[in-house]
Amino acid sequence: MAEYIQSKTAYQPLAKDEEDQSSPPVKDQTWPFSSKKLTYLAIIVCFILTATSGFIAGTFFNSRGENNGATAPRIPAPRIEGTFVFSSAFSKEPPQGDGAGDKSEPVWDALIPNGLGYFRDHNLAPKISIPTVFHQLHCLYVIRRAYYSHSAELQGFDFGKNRTDHAAHCFDYLQQSITCAADSTVEPGEDDPNGFLGSGFPRQCRDFEAVKKYVEKWRVFNATGFLAHGLEHGKAHLDSGKDLRSSGAIMLFSGVVSAFSLLNLLSPVPVLATDLPTITAENITTGRTSALAGLRPLLSAGATVALRGSCTFNNLTSRWREFQAPNIAAVVQVATEKDVQQVVRFAAQFNIPFVARAGGHGATESLADAKGAIQVDFRKLNQVKLNSNGQTAKIAGGATVKQVIDGLEAVGKRAVTGICECVGLSAPILGGGHGWLQGQYGLAADQVVSARVVLSNGDLVTVSNKSNPDLFWAIRGAGHNFGLVTEWEYRVHDTKENQWSYEIFIYSQDKLEALYALANEMLKNQPAEATHWGYIVKVAEIDAEHPILWFGIIYDGPTETAREYALPLHDLEPLVVQAGEGNLHDLAALTFQDLDGAGCAYGLTSLRFPIGLKSYNVTAVRQVYDLIDETFTKVPEVSGSFFLLEGYSTQGVQAVNAASTAFPHRDDKILVTSYVQYKPNSTIDPIAEEFGQSLRNFLLEGSSDPAHLRAYVNYANGDEPLEAVYGWDKWRLQKLKQLKRQYDPKNRMKYYVPFV
């Protein structure tokens, strides 16, 4: 051991011995030490475990954090009393065998602060730094794991360094650290009866936890434990494309320094380490992380910015469907219309993608193309205010369906909205917008008198029949591609004295043909106040083996009238009948679309495959049922899926000139959608995709026009032909593309079923 110990206070690498110089470096094979060296290593490790602990306890920090002359500063830490303990948890062997290199050790990991000890404090350490104690612990851990391992299990943790070189550095560094600290605590010369030499008596220590807490507060990134969980080693690259690991950890941390320094230079408010995003190739190479700090002073006092890694970020970016979700780098919760403009202008200046969010129910393939994007979060813009004329209301762009219903109900009004309470109102309007009241008043898009729209360059325009009428046409049916709506002027209607009425029927599968043949007949004379709402769904309490048929009549009128219309459904001998009255919230709960229902359940993968129909092909519906029944048995992971059949009244929809808005499907009678839902599982994804496509294909092939799929844009999976979404009349897409060139020439609004 003496040959490794040199009394040097400045770091100087030790020369390799003759054997090391003559042998090529060993990178990915077994631990490159002879049995004799392993014996030496065991002795050294035992010594280090004792001596380094003494160093941590006694001499690393001075109590005032002063810089004496030209020497490096120290973090202030109070003195405390400590005792070395025999056979502590740190004496246990690490995990070994296959996969051991990926297994954490909680006892050891607890020593390392979040951020691995790398910190930056403008007063004490204006440049990125690390206390010696955490560098020492890192080296100790590497040597320990390497000693017990006979493989390259920790090669990734070596940041691509040659294991021999890395271990040699650690021996060298620890030797110099120990002798530099020269812990002079006087230890008894005999072993403690219940311990080892140096244990069992009080000694003066520094408060290690205080140091740990300090560097966590000023950390420059998030990563935990000796294996650096949360730090994406393999994804971090320099601009040149060179893997950062090949140059060691210091290069990765240099990238962090650069981003962190720029953030603090640009921002008038200190940027906390918890506000920093994950360090990835994307934000290091593009500089977006640094640029985002320049946005803060442009926003109102009520706006907030949350970057990836902050304590609020995950909640703010959680979506109804995480599958194929946008990759968000920052969330800006806008509080004013001007905030929206500033964010969009800023994104345009730095070429940063942006997506709007209110309810978080957007679910289509193209959203995944938004990478490193700003989420323009509208949830603070949720005001609902009745205008003095009593016929319209001003509704802010971030209001949800429930907020609109509750706000209007409080002043004796109601309006066409979607069914699901947690969905934002704006997105449904932009795509057309179906709802309980459409038979009487038309689509949600038909209720818009005017709208205030922030274009992709940040300009604010008002659109209506008189102001920018062409853009007004486009945002009602294809609006996701043109701008961010900050406020709607929206038609409202007086509430009725009576409650809504409903009757729910549940049938076994043997009634399928009779039920949907009857539904076709009922559609022919469907009152404007009535909606057919159906599911094919598994309800084990009713039938443990097969899906059931759930069919409801929702009626805006007295119970007697609803019962008369629904009377033929009683003749089919349902298993269960539930009838009653309620308000719009009760209807949402009844159809599982309330805040606590399946429609608002986050965390699942949910694939949708919509199709618009004129009537049901009963044979095709049977094919749908049989495949659902078979698939639920073979692939139980998707047995929580459901098949939704929305049969809205269409009198109010068809009363509007079909050419007056961009919504192309006014003559559809039924909106049918397969909801394939399951816990996130990449092995199930292709199965679910094929399942949903097959269900839709049965209905398309059995429809009156199998050559022309009609898919509601707000439910679109994203793989449909553009004509299926925006209309098969050629003039529709031609007009949309012409308007796109005029209002969004750089195609920044391109993440929701884009048509260019």
Side-chain angles (χ1 to χ4, degrees):
M1 185 171 67
E3 64 180 302
Y4 294 103
I5 299 177
Q6 298 181 25
S7 299
K8 297 178 182 178
T9 57
Y11 174 72
Q12 297 178 12
L14 296 177
K16 296 181 181 179
D17 60 24
E18 293 296 321
E19 180 179 339
D20 286 335
Q21 292 176 5
S22 61
S23 303
V26 179
K27 294 184 178 180
D28 297 311
Q29 305 301 319
T30 58
W31 175 244
F33 285 95
S34 65
S35 58
K36 180 179 179 180
K37 288 185 178 180
L38 286 175
T39 302
Y40 289 155
L41 179 57
I43 297 171
I44 292 169
V45 169
C46 291
F47 173 78
I48 291 171
L49 283 168
T50 303
T52 303
S53 299
F55 170 79
I56 295 170
T59 61
F60 178 63
F61 304 111
N62 66 30
S63 60
R64 298 171 59 190
E66 296 176 348
N67 184 353
N68 298 319
T71 61
R74 296 182 178 184
I75 296 172
R79 294 181 181 274
I80 60 173
E81 185 178 286
T83 302
F84 291 178
V85 179
F86 172 70
S87 191
S88 72
F90 297 97
S91 63
K92 299 182 183 300
E93 293 186 7
Q96 298 176 56
D98 293 341
D102 297 323
K103 294 179 181 178
S104 299
E105 297 180 88
V107 171
W108 281 84
D109 286 347
L111 292 172
I112 295 296
N114 186 2
L116 310 185
Y118 287 85
F119 77 104
R120 180 171 180 261
D121 176 350
H122 287 290
N123 296 320
L124 184 65
K127 295 183 178 180
I128 194 168
S129 305
I130 182 172
T132 300
V133 63
F134 297 118
H135 190 170
Q136 291 173 318
L137 286 171
H138 166 86
C139 270
L140 179 62
Y141 188 78
V142 167
I143 292 174
R144 171 179 169 270
R145 289 294 294 257
Y147 170 71
Y148 284 105
S149 170
H150 294 281
S151 69
E153 64 180 26
L154 288 179
Q155 194 69 35
F157 184 58
D158 289 330
F159 296 98
K161 285 188 175 183
N162 177 276
R163 175 65 61 77
T164 306
D165 293 339
H166 199 172
H169 154 72
C170 283
F171 280 130
D172 190 12
Y173 180 77
L174 287 173
Q175 173 275 132
Q176 296 184 64
S177 296
I178 293 167
T179 55
C180 175
D183 186 353
S184 56
T185 301
V186 178
E187 299 181 348
E190 297 179 357
D191 287 350
D192 181 82
N194 299 310
F196 58 87
L197 186 67
S199 68
F201 65 91
R203 60 176 71 221
Q204 283 286 314
C205 302
R206 298 284 185 183
D207 190 341
F208 175 74
E209 291 300 323
V211 179
K212 182 180 172 185
K213 184 177 181 180
Y214 178 90
V215 295
E216 279 192 333
K217 176 182 178 181
W218 296 102
R219 68 188 183 276
V220 293
F221 59 87
N222 288 311
T224 59
F226 282 97
L227 299 184
H229 298 292
L231 192 64
E232 300 182 61
H233 304 298
K235 294 185 179 180
H237 292 74
L238 293 174
D239 290 342
S240 64
K242 184 178 180 181
D243 192 332
L244 284 173
R245 293 186 301 170
S246 65
S247 300
I250 191 63
M251 296 184 69
L252 174 62
F253 301 134
S254 296
V256 180
V257 176
S258 176
F260 190 78
S261 301
L262 283 169
L263 279 168
N264 280 284
L265 285 172
L266 291 171
S267 177
V269 180
V271 179
L272 299 180
T274 52
D275 290 330
L276 284 173
T278 301
I279 304 303
T280 64
E282 184 177 6
N283 54 36
I284 287 179
T285 57
T286 64
R288 289 173 180 169
T289 302
S290 305
L292 284 169
L295 179 58
R296 293 176 184 270
L298 305 177
L299 302 175
S300 69
T304 62
V305 178
L307 302 184
R308 192 180 294 155
S310 68
C311 59
T312 60
F313 184 84
N314 287 343
N315 284 338
L316 289 173
T317 56
S318 175
R319 303 179 64 83
W320 176 69
R321 184 178 97 171
E322 301 294 344
F323 179 68
Q324 295 175 330
N327 176 273
I328 303 298
V331 178
V332 181
Q333 288 190 286
V334 292
T336 67
E337 190 173 66
K338 186 177 180 181
D339 286 341
V340 180
Q341 291 183 268
Q342 296 286 26
V343 174
V344 172
R345 286 171 179 160
F346 185 87
Q349 178 184 354
F350 290 96
N351 197 30
I352 301 174
F354 62 91
V355 292
R357 186 253 167 79
H361 267 61
T364 191
E365 288 182 351
S366 53
L367 280 171
D369 294 333
K371 301 184 185 301
I374 298 174
Q375 176 176 299
V376 188
D377 198 305
F378 274 74
R379 280 174 281 187
K380 289 186 176 183
L381 293 177
N382 58 10
Q383 301 78 15
V384 179
K385 182 180 180 181
L386 184 67
N387 289 330
S388 58
N389 61 16
Q391 298 178 349
T392 59
K394 289 183 178 179
I395 301 175
T400 64
V401 166
K402 188 176 191 309
Q403 288 168 340
V404 173
I405 290 174
D406 291 349
L408 293 178
E409 193 174 70
V411 293
K413 298 292 181 178
R414 64 180 186 172
V416 178
T417 69
I419 313 302
C420 187
E421 290 187 329
C422 55
V423 172
L425 181 71
S426 290
I429 295 174
L430 294 172
H434 293 288
W436 301 129
L437 291 170
Q438 71 173 53
Q440 299 173 69
Y441 307 121
L443 297 167
D446 300 330
Q447 313 309 307
V448 180
V449 176
S450 68
R452 294 172 67 81
V453 182
V454 175
L455 301 178
S456 63
N457 62 358
D459 289 350
L460 177 67
V461 297
T462 298
V463 299
S464 67
N465 280 325
K466 296 181 179 180
S467 176
N468 300 297
D470 50 357
L471 183 57
F472 185 54
W473 174 88
I475 69 164
R476 294 174 296 155
H480 312 84
N481 286 271
F482 287 96
L484 307 183
V485 176
T486 60
E487 184 180 85
W488 303 97
E489 184 182 3
Y490 203 70
R491 292 187 180 90
V492 298
H493 310 275
D494 293 335
T495 56
K496 290 185 176 181
E497 292 183 3
N498 57 275
Q499 298 257 49
W500 288 75
S501 303
Y502 60 84
E503 283 201 74
I504 308 302
F505 303 85
I506 295 178
Y507 301 95
S508 55
Q509 60 89 17
D510 59 300
K511 300 296 195 301
L512 183 146
E513 284 77 8
L515 173 61
Y516 287 100
L518 176 58
N520 281 334
E521 291 301 314
M522 295 177 71
L523 285 171
K524 295 176 182 178
N525 300 299
Q526 183 177 1
E529 297 82 6
T531 299
H532 299 183
W533 191 272
Y535 294 109
I536 298 175
V537 63
K538 188 76 172 287
V539 182
E541 292 80 1
I542 298 175
D543 189 332
E545 296 183 2
H546 305 289
I548 55 91
L549 311 177
W550 190 106
F551 196 89
I553 300 297
I554 311 298
Y555 196 88
D556 183 23
T559 302
E560 297 78 15
T561 308
R563 176 63 187 267
E564 182 179 353
Y565 176 68
L567 192 59
L569 292 164
H570 288 267
D571 297 335
L572 298 182
E573 300 179 353
L575 299 173
V576 178
V577 178
Q578 178 185 357
E581 295 182 340
N583 57 25
L584 288 171
H585 171 71
D586 297 325
L587 297 184
L590 184 73
T591 55
F592 319 109
Q593 304 299 314
D594 62 324
L595 295 181
D596 297 321
C600 293
Y602 279 40
L604 297 176
T605 296
S606 301
L607 307 184
R608 297 184 296 198
F609 301 88
I611 180 171
L613 300 171
K614 305 292 190 298
S615 63
Y616 295 111
N617 180 309
V618 175
T619 301
V621 178
R622 168 54 71 181
Q623 290 176 301
V624 165
Y625 179 91
D626 289 345
L627 182 58
I628 290 174
D629 192 17
E630 176 186 345
T631 303
F632 282 7
T633 301
K634 290 182 177 179
V635 190
E637 290 88 348
V638 302
S639 61
S641 304
F642 57 91
F643 195 73
L644 174 61
L645 306 105
E646 303 173 60
Y648 299 105
S649 300
T650 59
Q651 291 91 324
V653 177
Q654 294 180 1
V656 176
N657 183 347
S660 65
T661 71
F663 181 77
H665 306 313
R666 289 186 181 272
D667 55 344
D668 287 346
K669 289 280 190 177
I670 309 161
L671 174 58
V672 182
T673 310
S674 308
Y675 278 75
V676 186
Q677 291 189 324
Y678 50 97
K679 293 181 179 179
N681 185 334
S682 59
T683 62
I684 299 297
D685 293 341
I687 299 172
E689 183 85 19
E690 182 180 0
F691 177 43
Q693 293 284 12
S694 297
L695 296 177
R696 180 163 64 182
N697 286 339
F698 285 142
L699 296 176
L700 178 60
E701 292 166 5
S703 72
S704 58
D705 188 6
H708 298 95
L709 172 67
R710 299 160 71 86
Y712 180 39
V713 64
N714 287 335
Y715 290 178
N717 185 51
D719 61 341
E720 300 87 351
L722 290 177
E723 293 84 356
V725 175
Y726 295 110
W728 289 96
D729 296 324
K730 291 184 178 180
W731 67 268
R732 287 188 174 275
L733 271 172
Q734 289 173 351
K735 183 174 182 178
L736 286 172
K737 291 178 180 179
Q738 183 271 321
L739 293 174
K740 184 73 168 176
R741 290 191 292 270
Q742 179 180 349
Y743 288 102
D744 184 19
K746 295 187 177 180
N747 196 24
R748 294 193 176 106
M749 300 288 298
K750 60 181 179 181
Y751 299 112
Y752 198 93
V753 196
F755 47 77
V756 293

